[in-house]
Amino acid sequence: MDGNGEPFWAAFWQRREENPDCTNLEVERPRMMFIDQCKDVLIEGISLQDSGFWNIHVYRSQDVTISGVSITSPNGTPPDRAPSSDGIDIDSCQRVTVRDCFITVGDDCIAIKGTKGPRALEDESSPPVEDILIENCRFDSGHGVVTLGSEATIVRNVVVRDCVVTGWNKLVRLKLRPDTPQTYENLLYENIVFEAGGGIFDVKPWTQFFDLKGEEPPRSVVRNVTIRNVKGWTGKWGELMGNPLDTIEDITIENLEMKIENEAITLGPVDGLKVKNVVVNGKRFESL
């Protein structure tokens, strides 16, 4: 399936040049596939290229399997990058499995999404995203292997295992909005070959287009995140921090052997950061 995305990319980059603050939706661009409020879905053995916008958007659906799918979009610098070309967007869904896929795109390889805003928890159209399994996939270039946010409230029980990451990418990417109450919990990344320049952590505030709408800033929580059995190389540890009211707790890094060009990490308050059997550039790390 060929999305013929170039005209849509060009229109977006032209609008961004005219207005650097334009939103991603100011230029209408088509998604390649939209699965809306479905159950027992199988997407298998297809190839998607050059989508005008997101490639596969699965919304408010349950028991979905995406298997043996190849997704490609250019990931260069504007205007040669396909903007907003997420590979798979898992939006307000439960029990989704992604396996044996190849993804290289100009945005997040997989994004887990919901809604946003200070009253987002009252939005009944966006239930928690739960029970997501991503296994035996190969990720090349992208902004994140699996990105939580930017629009999301509750995401729990996500497993990423037995995957290979190359190109330029980030392993743990969590976007923490200052205007949305978010809970990201029970996240497991294991048995990963990570040979990507982006970094291990990209956990930090995400302030693009945020609006408190006159409300007090909410509190968000990141907890029970485990990274284990990871080997390879990357450019940096990255960032692990939240907004001033956020809580980040129970982060475990175990059995990691990496070459990391920049060993520094931007580390905010973390309660319960455990480092076990971590070797970086031939040296054993007891703490970050």
Side-chain angles (χ1 to χ4, degrees):
M1 300 175 63
D2 191 332
N4 189 30
E6 290 188 13
F8 303 101
W9 310 335
F12 175 80
W13 291 125
Q14 176 63 36
R15 179 59 182 149
R16 178 60 63 87
E17 185 176 336
E18 296 167 354
N19 176 18
D21 296 324
C22 77
T23 71
N24 292 335
L25 301 178
E26 282 192 26
V27 175
E28 291 188 352
R29 292 172 286 162
R31 292 161 290 187
M32 190 85 83
M33 299 181 68
F34 180 39
I35 309 299
D36 182 11
Q37 300 183 68
C38 297
K39 296 182 179 180
D40 299 318
V41 177
L42 174 62
I43 302 172
E44 184 176 37
I46 62 174
S47 297
L48 289 74
Q49 67 179 33
D50 294 347
S51 178
F53 194 55
W54 298 349
N55 281 269
I56 299 176
H57 181 194
V58 185
Y59 175 60
R60 293 184 64 188
S61 297
Q62 297 82 40
D63 301 302
V64 177
T65 298
I66 302 172
S67 177
V69 172
S70 173
I71 301 174
T72 60
S73 294
N75 186 10
T77 57
D80 297 321
R81 177 167 63 86
S84 311
S85 55
D86 294 356
I88 301 170
D89 286 84
I90 301 169
D91 185 350
S92 308
C93 294
Q94 300 77 44
R95 301 182 301 281
V96 177
T97 297
V98 179
R99 64 164 56 100
D100 301 324
C101 292
F102 171 78
I103 303 176
T104 180
V105 291
D107 209 313
D108 297 316
C109 290
I110 296 176
I112 297 178
K113 290 184 172 289
T115 189
K116 63 182 179 179
R119 297 188 177 273
L121 293 176
E122 301 171 12
D123 185 353
E124 295 181 357
S125 69
S126 183
V129 179
E130 299 175 309
D131 303 325
I132 308 301
L133 172 61
I134 298 157
E135 63 180 1
N136 297 318
C137 292
R138 186 177 186 92
F139 301 97
D140 192 49
S141 294
H143 291 184
V145 172
V146 180
T147 298
L148 276 60
S150 54
E151 302 87 8
T153 51
I154 299 173
V155 179
R156 59 169 66 103
N157 307 336
V158 178
V159 175
V160 183
R161 68 188 183 196
D162 303 319
C163 293
V164 175
V165 187
T166 57
W168 195 95
N169 224 317
K170 298 174 181 178
L171 182 60
V172 182
R173 191 177 196 212
L174 312 181
K175 296 178 177 180
L176 295 167
R177 297 186 66 95
D179 62 353
T180 302
Q182 296 171 309
T183 299
Y184 298 155
E185 62 182 355
N186 305 336
L187 314 178
L188 172 62
Y189 306 76
E190 68 174 352
N191 304 334
I192 308 292
V193 175
F194 192 79
E195 298 177 341
I200 301 295
F201 288 106
D202 186 18
V203 180
K204 62 186 179 185
W206 182 259
T207 59
Q208 186 181 47
F209 310 128
F210 83 97
D211 185 358
L212 283 168
K213 301 183 186 301
E215 304 278 349
E216 292 295 318
R219 298 175 181 269
S220 293
V221 177
V222 175
R223 60 180 167 227
N224 193 20
V225 179
T226 300
I227 304 167
R228 68 185 179 211
N229 303 337
V230 178
K231 62 182 181 180
W233 65 268
T234 190
K236 59 182 180 179
W237 273 109
E239 299 168 287
L240 179 57
M241 57 185 295
N243 296 288
L245 297 179
D246 294 346
T247 297
I248 299 177
E249 60 187 7
D250 297 331
I251 311 295
T252 299
I253 308 169
E254 184 176 9
N255 298 338
L256 181 144
E257 186 171 355
M258 299 283 296
K259 292 182 179 179
I260 299 179
E261 294 178 10
N262 183 352
E263 296 182 15
I265 183 170
T266 303
L267 186 65
V270 179
D271 185 13
L273 175 60
K274 303 178 182 67
V275 177
K276 305 176 183 178
N277 191 29
V278 171
V279 178
V280 174
N281 299 331
K283 299 181 298 182
R284 187 172 296 275
F285 268 59
E286 301 297 334
S287 62
L288 296 185

